[in-house]
C-alpha cells in the first residue's frame, strides 16, 4: 500500500509538471506567462486575465464530491480573502478514470453546497456556513470557477509531444528526447525555487530554454528511463542532429568526476585513442574530417602522465605547448595532411587529436576557435562562452565507458 501511495504521489507530481508544460505551449503571446506553485499549482497570466489552476490526478473511477471538496474549499478561502483581486479565474483540473477528458460538469449553487457538505463524528457540517460565506459570494465564485476533467496521464504526454512536433516542426524522437526532456527540466527547476517571482516564466523564456542546443538530459528524465536507455537515446540525440559527423569540429570536455571514476574497463588514454580512431583515423577518415579536441578537467600530474601514455601509444597530439607556454595560435592550426592516391582520404596527418587542460582552456578560451559542436561530460554546470555552435551536456555518465558509448555507438 505504501508503494502504491508513493507511486500515485510521484505520478501526481509528473501530471502537474506535464500540465504546466501544456499550459506554456498553449500561451498565445510571448509575454504571457505562468507561475508554477503560485496561488495554486499553476497560475496563468495574460494581458487580459489571470487564471489559477489546481491539478489533481485521482485514481477514482468517477467524479464524487469528497474528491474535490478540499481543493474547492481552498479556492473559496482564497476567493473570499479581501486582498484577492475580484476578477481572478479559478480552474480545478482533475482526472477521474472514467470521466470524459475536457468535459465540464455543471456545478450550480445547490451542487456546490453539496460538495461543501461533509460529516464529522456523524454530525453534518457545511463548510460555507462555518466560514461565513454567503450565497451571493458563492454565486460570484461560481461565475469565475470551472471544473474540467483532465486527460489521462499518458494521453496528455502524447498531446504534449504532438504540440512540440507541430510547434517546432520536429520528429517524434526529437519531441521526446529533446523538447519534452528540456521542458521537464525547466518546469522542475522553476517549481523548486523559493521566491514566487523566480517560479514565473514567460512563453518566450520557455521556448528559448527548451531549445535543443541546451542540456539534453536531466535526473527527472532519467528517473523514468533506465541507464541503458539514457545512453542509447543520448547517442541517438547526437546522431539525429548530425553532431557526430567527422567533418564538424568537436570539443569534448571530460569532467573531473569521469577522470577520477573507476575506468578499469576504459582508461583515459584508451578513451582518447579509441575516440580518435573513430573520428580521425589515417587511411579511413575522409579528407574533410576534423580532429577531436579534448578538454580534460584534471591536475597537472594527471595531464602529464596522460600525454606520456599517448606518446607511448603513438597518438600524436597538439596541446599548444601548454606545459611550456600555451599558444592559441599553434593550438588553432589545422593539421597538415597527406591524402590517398585518389585524394579522398587522409593517409597521414601532422597530429591526430588536440588536447589541453580545463584550466588552460578557461584561461585562453577567447583565443580558441569556436567549434561546431561542444560536448560536455561533467556533473558540473559548464557555462559555454562560444557565441556559435551547438552545446550538449551529459551529466549522468558513471565512467568513460559510458561517455564512449554516447559518442561512438
Amino acid at each position: 500500500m505504501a508503494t502504491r501511495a508513493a507511486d500515485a504521489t510521484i505520478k501526481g507530481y509528473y501530471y502537474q509538471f506535464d500540465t504546466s508544460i501544456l499550459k506554456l505551449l498553449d500561451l498565445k503571446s510571448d509575454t504571457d506567462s505562468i507561475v508554477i506553485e503560485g496561488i495554486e499549482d499553476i497560475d496563468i497570466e495574460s494581458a487580459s486575465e489571470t487564471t489559477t489552476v489546481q491539478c489533481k490526478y485521482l485514481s477514482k473511477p468517477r467524479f464524487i464530491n469528497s474528491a474535490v471538496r478540499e481543493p474547492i474549499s481552498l479556492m473559496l478561502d482564497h476567493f473570499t480573502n479581501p486582498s484577492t483581486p475580484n476578477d481572478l479565474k479559478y480552474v480545478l483540473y482533475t482526472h477521474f478514470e472514467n470521466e470524459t477528458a475536457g468535459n465540464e460538469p455543471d456545478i450550480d449553487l445547490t451542487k456546490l453546497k453539496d460538495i461543501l457538505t461533509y460529516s464529522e463524528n456523524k454530525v453534518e457540517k457545511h463548510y460555507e456556513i462555518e466560514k461565513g460565506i454567503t450565497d451571493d459570494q458563492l454565486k460570484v465564485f461560481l461565475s469565475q470557477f470551472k471544473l474540467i476533467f483532465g486527460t489521462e496521464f499518458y494521453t496528455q504526454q502524447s498531446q504534449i509531444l504532438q504540440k512540440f512536433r507541430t510547434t517546432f516542426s520536429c520528429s517524434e524522437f526529437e519531441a521526446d528526447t529533446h523538447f519534452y526532456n528540456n521542458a521537464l527540466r525547466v518546469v522542475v527547476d522553476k517549481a523548486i525555487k523559493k521566491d514566487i517571482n523566480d517560479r514565473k516564466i514567460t512563453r518566450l523564456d520557455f521556448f528559448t530554454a527548451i531549445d535543443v542546443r541546451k542540456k539534453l538530459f536531466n535526473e527527472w528524465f532519467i528517473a523514468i528511463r533506465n541507464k541503458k536507455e539514457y545512453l542509447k537515446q543520448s547517442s541517438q540525440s547526437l546522431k539525429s542532429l548530425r553532431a557526430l559527423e567527422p567533418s564538424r569540429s568537436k570539443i569534448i570536455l571530460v569532467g573531473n568526476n569521469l577522470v577520477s571514476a573507476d575506468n578499469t574497463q576504459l582508461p583515459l588514454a584508451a578513451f582518447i585513442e579509441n575516440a580518435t580512431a573513430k573520428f580521425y583515423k589515417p587511411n579511413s577518415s575522409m579528407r574533410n574530417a576534423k580532429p577531436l579536441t579534448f578538454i580534460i578537467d584534471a591536475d597537472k600530474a594527471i595531464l602529464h602522465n596522460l600525454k606520456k601514455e599517448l606518446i607511448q601509444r603513438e597518438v600524436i597530439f597538439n596541446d599548444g605547448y601548454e606545459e611550456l607556454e600555451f599558444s592559441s595560435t599553434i593550438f588553432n592550426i589545422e593539421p597538415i595532411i597527406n591524402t590517398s592516391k585518389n585524394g579522398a582520404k587522409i593517409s597521414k596527418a601532422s597530429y591526430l587529436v588536440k588536447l589541453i587542460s580545463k584550466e588552460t582552456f578557461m584561461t585562453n578560451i577567447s583565443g580558441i576557435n569556436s567549434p561546431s559542436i561542444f560536448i560536455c561530460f561533467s556533473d558540473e554546470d559548464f557555462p559555454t562562452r562560444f557565441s556559435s555552435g551547438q552545446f550538449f551536456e551529459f551529466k549522468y555518465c558513471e565512467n568513460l565507458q559510458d561517455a564512449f558509448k554516447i559518442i561512438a555507438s
Side-chain angles (χ1 to χ4, degrees), residues 57-102:
Y57 195 81
L58 303 173
S59 57
K60 300 183 183 301
R62 290 288 183 186
F63 168 73
I64 55 174
N65 290 345
S66 60
V68 298
R69 182 177 299 120
E70 181 182 4
I72 291 179
S73 297
L74 292 173
M75 288 181 168
L76 263 174
D77 288 345
H78 185 268
F79 171 77
T80 56
N81 189 311
S83 63
T84 300
N86 56 21
D87 60 348
L88 187 65
K89 307 293 184 183
Y90 296 86
V91 172
L92 178 56
Y93 183 76
T94 179
H95 170 76
F96 294 93
E97 291 177 358
N98 298 322
E99 299 291 358
T100 303

CSV table of all heavy atoms in Angstrom, one decimal, residues 57-102:
chain,number,residue,atom,x,y,z
A,57,TYR,N,-4.6,14.4,-10.0
A,57,TYR,CA,-4.7,13.2,-10.8
A,57,TYR,C,-5.2,12.1,-9.8
A,57,TYR,O,-4.5,11.6,-9.0
A,57,TYR,CB,-3.3,12.8,-11.4
A,57,TYR,CG,-3.5,11.7,-12.4
A,57,TYR,CD1,-3.8,12.1,-13.7
A,57,TYR,CD2,-3.2,10.4,-12.2
A,57,TYR,CE1,-3.9,11.1,-14.7
A,57,TYR,CE2,-3.3,9.4,-13.1
A,57,TYR,CZ,-3.7,9.8,-14.4
A,57,TYR,OH,-3.8,8.8,-15.4
A,58,LEU,N,-6.5,11.7,-9.9
A,58,LEU,CA,-7.1,10.8,-9.0
A,58,LEU,C,-7.4,9.5,-9.6
A,58,LEU,O,-7.7,9.3,-10.8
A,58,LEU,CB,-8.5,11.4,-8.5
A,58,LEU,CG,-8.3,12.8,-7.9
A,58,LEU,CD1,-9.7,13.4,-7.6
A,58,LEU,CD2,-7.5,12.8,-6.6
A,59,SER,N,-7.2,8.4,-8.8
A,59,SER,CA,-7.4,7.1,-9.3
A,59,SER,C,-8.9,6.6,-9.2
A,59,SER,O,-9.2,5.5,-9.5
A,59,SER,CB,-6.5,6.1,-8.5
A,59,SER,OG,-6.8,6.2,-7.1
A,60,LYS,N,-9.8,7.5,-8.7
A,60,LYS,CA,-11.2,7.1,-8.5
A,60,LYS,C,-11.8,7.0,-9.9
A,60,LYS,O,-11.5,7.8,-10.8
A,60,LYS,CB,-11.9,8.1,-7.7
A,60,LYS,CG,-11.3,8.2,-6.3
A,60,LYS,CD,-12.0,9.2,-5.4
A,60,LYS,CE,-11.4,9.4,-4.0
A,60,LYS,NZ,-11.3,8.1,-3.3
A,61,PRO,N,-12.8,6.1,-10.1
A,61,PRO,CA,-13.4,5.9,-11.4
A,61,PRO,C,-14.3,7.0,-11.8
A,61,PRO,O,-14.3,7.4,-13.0
A,61,PRO,CB,-14.2,4.6,-11.2
A,61,PRO,CG,-14.4,4.4,-9.7
A,61,PRO,CD,-13.2,5.0,-9.1
A,62,ARG,N,-15.0,7.6,-10.9
A,62,ARG,CA,-16.0,8.7,-11.2
A,62,ARG,C,-15.9,9.9,-10.3
A,62,ARG,O,-15.3,9.8,-9.2
A,62,ARG,CB,-17.4,8.1,-11.1
A,62,ARG,CG,-17.8,7.1,-12.2
A,62,ARG,CD,-17.9,7.7,-13.6
A,62,ARG,NE,-18.4,6.8,-14.6
A,62,ARG,CZ,-18.5,7.1,-15.9
A,62,ARG,NH1,-18.2,8.3,-16.3
A,62,ARG,NH2,-18.8,6.1,-16.7
A,63,PHE,N,-16.4,11.0,-10.8
A,63,PHE,CA,-16.4,12.2,-10.0
A,63,PHE,C,-17.3,12.0,-8.8
A,63,PHE,O,-18.4,11.6,-8.9
A,63,PHE,CB,-17.0,13.3,-10.9
A,63,PHE,CG,-17.4,14.6,-10.1
A,63,PHE,CD1,-16.4,15.4,-9.6
A,63,PHE,CD2,-18.7,14.9,-9.9
A,63,PHE,CE1,-16.7,16.6,-8.9
A,63,PHE,CE2,-19.0,16.0,-9.2
A,63,PHE,CZ,-18.0,16.9,-8.7
A,64,ILE,N,-16.7,12.3,-7.6
A,64,ILE,CA,-17.5,12.3,-6.4
A,64,ILE,C,-17.2,13.6,-5.6
A,64,ILE,O,-16.1,14.1,-5.7
A,64,ILE,CB,-17.2,11.1,-5.5
A,64,ILE,CG1,-15.7,11.0,-5.2
A,64,ILE,CG2,-17.7,9.8,-6.2
A,64,ILE,CD1,-15.3,9.8,-4.3
A,65,ASN,N,-18.1,14.0,-4.8
A,65,ASN,CA,-18.0,15.3,-4.1
A,65,ASN,C,-16.7,15.3,-3.2
A,65,ASN,O,-16.0,16.3,-3.1
A,65,ASN,CB,-19.2,15.6,-3.2
A,65,ASN,CG,-20.4,15.9,-4.1
A,65,ASN,OD1,-20.3,16.2,-5.3
A,65,ASN,ND2,-21.6,15.9,-3.5
A,66,SER,N,-16.5,14.2,-2.5
A,66,SER,CA,-15.4,14.2,-1.5
A,66,SER,C,-14.1,14.4,-2.1
A,66,SER,O,-13.1,14.9,-1.5
A,66,SER,CB,-15.5,12.9,-0.7
A,66,SER,OG,-15.3,11.8,-1.5
A,67,ALA,N,-13.9,14.0,-3.4
A,67,ALA,CA,-12.6,14.1,-4.0
A,67,ALA,C,-12.2,15.5,-4.4
A,67,ALA,O,-11.0,15.8,-4.5
A,67,ALA,CB,-12.6,13.2,-5.3
A,68,VAL,N,-13.2,16.4,-4.5
A,68,VAL,CA,-12.9,17.8,-4.9
A,68,VAL,C,-13.2,18.8,-3.8
A,68,VAL,O,-13.0,20.0,-4.0
A,68,VAL,CB,-13.7,18.1,-6.2
A,68,VAL,CG1,-13.3,17.3,-7.3
A,68,VAL,CG2,-15.2,18.1,-5.9
A,69,ARG,N,-13.7,18.3,-2.7
A,69,ARG,CA,-14.1,19.2,-1.6
A,69,ARG,C,-12.9,20.0,-1.1
A,69,ARG,O,-13.0,21.3,-1.0
A,69,ARG,CB,-14.7,18.4,-0.4
A,69,ARG,CG,-15.2,19.3,0.7
A,69,ARG,CD,-15.8,18.5,1.9
A,69,ARG,NE,-17.0,17.8,1.3
A,69,ARG,CZ,-17.1,16.5,1.4
A,69,ARG,NH1,-16.1,15.7,1.9
A,69,ARG,NH2,-18.2,15.9,0.9
A,70,GLU,N,-11.8,19.4,-0.8
A,70,GLU,CA,-10.7,20.1,-0.3
A,70,GLU,C,-10.1,21.2,-1.3
A,70,GLU,O,-10.0,22.3,-0.9
A,70,GLU,CB,-9.5,19.2,0.1
A,70,GLU,CG,-8.3,19.9,0.7
A,70,GLU,CD,-7.2,19.0,1.1
A,70,GLU,OE1,-7.3,17.8,0.8
A,70,GLU,OE2,-6.2,19.5,1.7
A,71,PRO,N,-9.8,20.8,-2.5
A,71,PRO,CA,-9.3,21.9,-3.4
A,71,PRO,C,-10.3,23.0,-3.6
A,71,PRO,O,-9.9,24.2,-3.7
A,71,PRO,CB,-9.0,21.1,-4.7
A,71,PRO,CG,-9.8,19.8,-4.6
A,71,PRO,CD,-9.8,19.5,-3.2
A,72,ILE,N,-11.6,22.7,-3.7
A,72,ILE,CA,-12.6,23.8,-3.9
A,72,ILE,C,-12.7,24.7,-2.7
A,72,ILE,O,-12.8,25.9,-2.7
A,72,ILE,CB,-13.9,23.2,-4.3
A,72,ILE,CG1,-13.9,22.6,-5.7
A,72,ILE,CG2,-15.0,24.3,-4.2
A,72,ILE,CD1,-15.2,22.0,-6.2
A,73,SER,N,-12.6,24.0,-1.5
A,73,SER,CA,-12.6,24.8,-0.2
A,73,SER,C,-11.4,25.8,-0.2
A,73,SER,O,-11.5,26.9,0.2
A,73,SER,CB,-12.6,23.9,1.0
A,73,SER,OG,-13.7,23.0,1.0
A,74,LEU,N,-10.2,25.3,-0.6
A,74,LEU,CA,-9.0,26.1,-0.6
A,74,LEU,C,-9.2,27.3,-1.6
A,74,LEU,O,-8.8,28.4,-1.3
A,74,LEU,CB,-7.8,25.3,-0.9
A,74,LEU,CG,-7.4,24.3,0.1
A,74,LEU,CD1,-6.3,23.4,-0.4
A,74,LEU,CD2,-6.9,25.0,1.4
A,75,MET,N,-9.8,27.0,-2.7
A,75,MET,CA,-10.0,28.1,-3.7
A,75,MET,C,-11.0,29.1,-3.1
A,75,MET,O,-10.8,30.3,-3.3
A,75,MET,CB,-10.6,27.5,-5.0
A,75,MET,CG,-9.5,26.8,-5.8
A,75,MET,SD,-10.2,26.1,-7.4
A,75,MET,CE,-8.7,25.7,-8.2
A,76,LEU,N,-12.0,28.6,-2.4
A,76,LEU,CA,-13.0,29.5,-1.8
A,76,LEU,C,-12.3,30.4,-0.8
A,76,LEU,O,-12.6,31.6,-0.7
A,76,LEU,CB,-14.1,28.7,-1.2
A,76,LEU,CG,-15.4,28.6,-2.0
A,76,LEU,CD1,-16.4,27.6,-1.3
A,76,LEU,CD2,-16.1,29.9,-2.3
A,77,ASP,N,-11.5,29.8,0.0
A,77,ASP,CA,-10.7,30.6,1.0
A,77,ASP,C,-10.0,31.7,0.4
A,77,ASP,O,-9.9,32.9,0.9
A,77,ASP,CB,-9.7,29.7,1.8
A,77,ASP,CG,-10.4,28.8,2.7
A,77,ASP,OD1,-11.6,29.0,3.0
A,77,ASP,OD2,-9.8,27.8,3.2
A,78,HIS,N,-9.3,31.4,-0.7
A,78,HIS,CA,-8.6,32.5,-1.4
A,78,HIS,C,-9.5,33.5,-2.0
A,78,HIS,O,-9.2,34.7,-2.0
A,78,HIS,CB,-7.7,31.8,-2.5
A,78,HIS,CG,-6.8,32.8,-3.2
A,78,HIS,ND1,-7.1,33.5,-4.4
A,78,HIS,CD2,-5.6,33.3,-2.9
A,78,HIS,CE1,-6.2,34.3,-4.7
A,78,HIS,NE2,-5.2,34.2,-3.8
A,79,PHE,N,-10.6,33.0,-2.6
A,79,PHE,CA,-11.5,33.9,-3.3
A,79,PHE,C,-12.1,34.9,-2.3
A,79,PHE,O,-12.3,36.1,-2.6
A,79,PHE,CB,-12.7,33.1,-3.9
A,79,PHE,CG,-13.8,33.9,-4.4
A,79,PHE,CD1,-13.8,34.6,-5.6
A,79,PHE,CD2,-15.0,34.0,-3.6
A,79,PHE,CE1,-14.8,35.4,-6.0
A,79,PHE,CE2,-16.1,34.7,-4.1
A,79,PHE,CZ,-16.0,35.5,-5.3
A,80,THR,N,-12.4,34.5,-1.0
A,80,THR,CA,-13.1,35.4,-0.1
A,80,THR,C,-12.1,36.2,0.7
A,80,THR,O,-12.5,37.1,1.5
A,80,THR,CB,-13.9,34.5,0.9
A,80,THR,OG1,-13.0,33.5,1.5
A,80,THR,CG2,-15.1,33.9,0.2
A,81,ASN,N,-10.8,36.0,0.5
A,81,ASN,CA,-9.8,36.9,1.1
A,81,ASN,C,-9.9,38.3,0.6
A,81,ASN,O,-9.9,38.5,-0.6
A,81,ASN,CB,-8.4,36.3,0.8
A,81,ASN,CG,-7.3,37.0,1.6
A,81,ASN,OD1,-7.2,38.3,1.7
A,81,ASN,ND2,-6.4,36.3,2.3
A,82,PRO,N,-10.0,39.3,1.4
A,82,PRO,CA,-10.2,40.7,1.0
A,82,PRO,C,-9.1,41.2,0.0
A,82,PRO,O,-9.4,42.1,-0.8
A,82,PRO,CB,-10.2,41.5,2.3
A,82,PRO,CG,-10.6,40.5,3.3
A,82,PRO,CD,-10.0,39.2,2.9
A,83,SER,N,-7.9,40.6,0.1
A,83,SER,CA,-6.8,41.1,-0.7
A,83,SER,C,-6.8,40.5,-2.1
A,83,SER,O,-6.0,40.9,-2.9
A,83,SER,CB,-5.5,40.9,0.0
A,83,SER,OG,-5.3,39.5,0.2
A,84,THR,N,-7.7,39.5,-2.3
A,84,THR,CA,-7.7,38.8,-3.6
A,84,THR,C,-8.3,39.7,-4.7
A,84,THR,O,-9.4,40.2,-4.5
A,84,THR,CB,-8.4,37.5,-3.5
A,84,THR,OG1,-7.8,36.7,-2.6
A,84,THR,CG2,-8.5,36.8,-4.9
A,85,PRO,N,-7.7,39.8,-5.9
A,85,PRO,CA,-8.3,40.6,-7.0
A,85,PRO,C,-9.7,40.0,-7.3
A,85,PRO,O,-9.9,38.8,-7.3
A,85,PRO,CB,-7.3,40.4,-8.2
A,85,PRO,CG,-6.0,40.1,-7.5
A,85,PRO,CD,-6.4,39.3,-6.3
A,86,ASN,N,-10.7,40.8,-7.6
A,86,ASN,CA,-12.0,40.3,-7.8
A,86,ASN,C,-12.3,39.7,-9.2
A,86,ASN,O,-13.4,39.3,-9.4
A,86,ASN,CB,-13.1,41.5,-7.5
A,86,ASN,CG,-12.8,42.7,-8.4
A,86,ASN,OD1,-12.2,42.6,-9.4
A,86,ASN,ND2,-13.3,43.8,-8.0
A,87,ASP,N,-11.3,39.8,-10.1
A,87,ASP,CA,-11.5,39.2,-11.4
A,87,ASP,C,-10.7,37.9,-11.6
A,87,ASP,O,-10.6,37.5,-12.8
A,87,ASP,CB,-11.2,40.2,-12.5
A,87,ASP,CG,-9.8,40.7,-12.4
A,87,ASP,OD1,-9.1,40.4,-11.4
A,87,ASP,OD2,-9.3,41.4,-13.3
A,88,LEU,N,-10.2,37.3,-10.6
A,88,LEU,CA,-9.3,36.1,-10.7
A,88,LEU,C,-10.2,34.9,-11.1
A,88,LEU,O,-11.3,34.7,-10.6
A,88,LEU,CB,-8.6,35.9,-9.4
A,88,LEU,CG,-7.6,34.7,-9.4
A,88,LEU,CD1,-6.4,35.1,-10.3
A,88,LEU,CD2,-7.1,34.5,-8.0
A,89,LYS,N,-9.7,34.2,-12.1
A,89,LYS,CA,-10.4,33.0,-12.5
A,89,LYS,C,-9.8,31.7,-11.8
A,89,LYS,O,-8.6,31.7,-11.6
A,89,LYS,CB,-10.3,32.8,-14.1
A,89,LYS,CG,-10.7,34.0,-14.9
A,89,LYS,CD,-12.2,34.3,-14.8
A,89,LYS,CE,-12.6,35.4,-15.7
A,89,LYS,NZ,-14.0,35.8,-15.6
A,90,TYR,N,-10.7,30.8,-11.5
A,90,TYR,CA,-10.3,29.5,-10.9
A,90,TYR,C,-10.6,28.3,-11.7
A,90,TYR,O,-11.7,28.2,-12.2
A,90,TYR,CB,-11.0,29.4,-9.5
A,90,TYR,CG,-10.6,30.5,-8.5
A,90,TYR,CD1,-11.3,31.7,-8.5
A,90,TYR,CD2,-9.6,30.3,-7.6
A,90,TYR,CE1,-11.0,32.7,-7.6
A,90,TYR,CE2,-9.2,31.3,-6.7
A,90,TYR,CZ,-9.9,32.5,-6.7
A,90,TYR,OH,-9.6,33.5,-5.8
A,91,VAL,N,-9.7,27.4,-11.8
A,91,VAL,CA,-9.9,26.1,-12.6
A,91,VAL,C,-9.4,25.0,-11.7
A,91,VAL,O,-8.3,25.0,-11.2
A,91,VAL,CB,-9.2,26.1,-13.9
A,91,VAL,CG1,-9.3,24.7,-14.6
A,91,VAL,CG2,-9.7,27.2,-14.9
A,92,LEU,N,-10.2,24.0,-11.5
A,92,LEU,CA,-9.8,22.7,-10.9
A,92,LEU,C,-9.8,21.7,-12.1
A,92,LEU,O,-10.8,21.3,-12.7
A,92,LEU,CB,-10.8,22.3,-9.9
A,92,LEU,CG,-10.5,20.9,-9.2
A,92,LEU,CD1,-9.2,20.9,-8.6
A,92,LEU,CD2,-11.6,20.6,-8.2
A,93,TYR,N,-8.5,21.3,-12.4
A,93,TYR,CA,-8.3,20.4,-13.5
A,93,TYR,C,-8.0,19.0,-12.9
A,93,TYR,O,-6.9,18.8,-12.3
A,93,TYR,CB,-7.1,20.9,-14.3
A,93,TYR,CG,-6.7,20.1,-15.5
A,93,TYR,CD1,-7.5,20.2,-16.7
A,93,TYR,CD2,-5.6,19.2,-15.5
A,93,TYR,CE1,-7.1,19.4,-17.8
A,93,TYR,CE2,-5.3,18.5,-16.7
A,93,TYR,CZ,-6.0,18.6,-17.8
A,93,TYR,OH,-5.7,17.9,-18.9
A,94,THR,N,-9.0,18.1,-12.9
A,94,THR,CA,-8.8,16.8,-12.2
A,94,THR,C,-9.2,15.6,-13.0
A,94,THR,O,-10.3,15.7,-13.7
A,94,THR,CB,-9.7,16.9,-10.9
A,94,THR,OG1,-9.6,15.7,-10.2
A,94,THR,CG2,-11.2,17.2,-11.2
A,95,HIS,N,-8.4,14.6,-13.0
A,95,HIS,CA,-8.7,13.4,-13.7
A,95,HIS,C,-9.4,12.3,-12.9
A,95,HIS,O,-9.0,12.0,-11.8
A,95,HIS,CB,-7.3,12.8,-14.3
A,95,HIS,CG,-7.5,11.5,-14.9
A,95,HIS,ND1,-8.0,11.3,-16.1
A,95,HIS,CD2,-7.2,10.2,-14.4
A,95,HIS,CE1,-8.0,10.0,-16.4
A,95,HIS,NE2,-7.5,9.3,-15.4
A,96,PHE,N,-10.4,11.8,-13.5
A,96,PHE,CA,-11.1,10.6,-13.0
A,96,PHE,C,-11.0,9.6,-14.1
A,96,PHE,O,-11.2,9.9,-15.3
A,96,PHE,CB,-12.5,10.9,-12.6
A,96,PHE,CG,-12.7,11.8,-11.4
A,96,PHE,CD1,-12.8,13.2,-11.6
A,96,PHE,CD2,-12.7,11.3,-10.1
A,96,PHE,CE1,-12.9,14.0,-10.5
A,96,PHE,CE2,-12.8,12.2,-9.0
A,96,PHE,CZ,-12.9,13.6,-9.2
A,97,GLU,N,-10.8,8.3,-13.7
A,97,GLU,CA,-10.6,7.2,-14.7
A,97,GLU,C,-11.7,7.1,-15.8
A,97,GLU,O,-11.3,6.9,-17.0
A,97,GLU,CB,-10.4,5.9,-14.0
A,97,GLU,CG,-9.2,5.8,-13.1
A,97,GLU,CD,-9.1,4.5,-12.4
A,97,GLU,OE1,-10.0,3.7,-12.5
A,97,GLU,OE2,-8.0,4.3,-11.7
A,98,ASN,N,-12.9,7.3,-15.4
A,98,ASN,CA,-14.0,7.0,-16.4
A,98,ASN,C,-14.8,8.2,-16.8
A,98,ASN,O,-15.9,8.1,-17.3
A,98,ASN,CB,-15.0,5.9,-15.8
A,98,ASN,CG,-14.3,4.6,-15.6
A,98,ASN,OD1,-13.4,4.2,-16.3
A,98,ASN,ND2,-14.6,3.9,-14.5
A,99,GLU,N,-14.2,9.4,-16.5
A,99,GLU,CA,-14.9,10.7,-16.9
A,99,GLU,C,-14.2,11.1,-18.2
A,99,GLU,O,-13.0,10.9,-18.5
A,99,GLU,CB,-14.7,11.8,-15.9
A,99,GLU,CG,-15.4,11.4,-14.5
A,99,GLU,CD,-16.9,11.4,-14.6
A,99,GLU,OE1,-17.5,11.7,-15.7
A,99,GLU,OE2,-17.5,11.1,-13.6
A,100,THR,N,-15.0,11.7,-19.1
A,100,THR,CA,-14.5,12.2,-20.4
A,100,THR,C,-13.7,13.4,-20.3
A,100,THR,O,-14.1,14.4,-19.8
A,100,THR,CB,-15.7,12.4,-21.4
A,100,THR,OG1,-16.5,11.3,-21.5
A,100,THR,CG2,-15.2,12.8,-22.7
A,101,ALA,N,-12.4,13.3,-20.7
A,101,ALA,CA,-11.5,14.4,-20.7
A,101,ALA,C,-12.0,15.6,-21.4
A,101,ALA,O,-12.6,15.5,-22.5
A,101,ALA,CB,-10.1,14.1,-21.2
A,102,GLY,N,-11.9,16.8,-20.8
A,102,GLY,CA,-12.4,18.1,-21.4
A,102,GLY,C,-13.8,18.4,-21.0
A,102,GLY,O,-14.2,19.6,-21.1
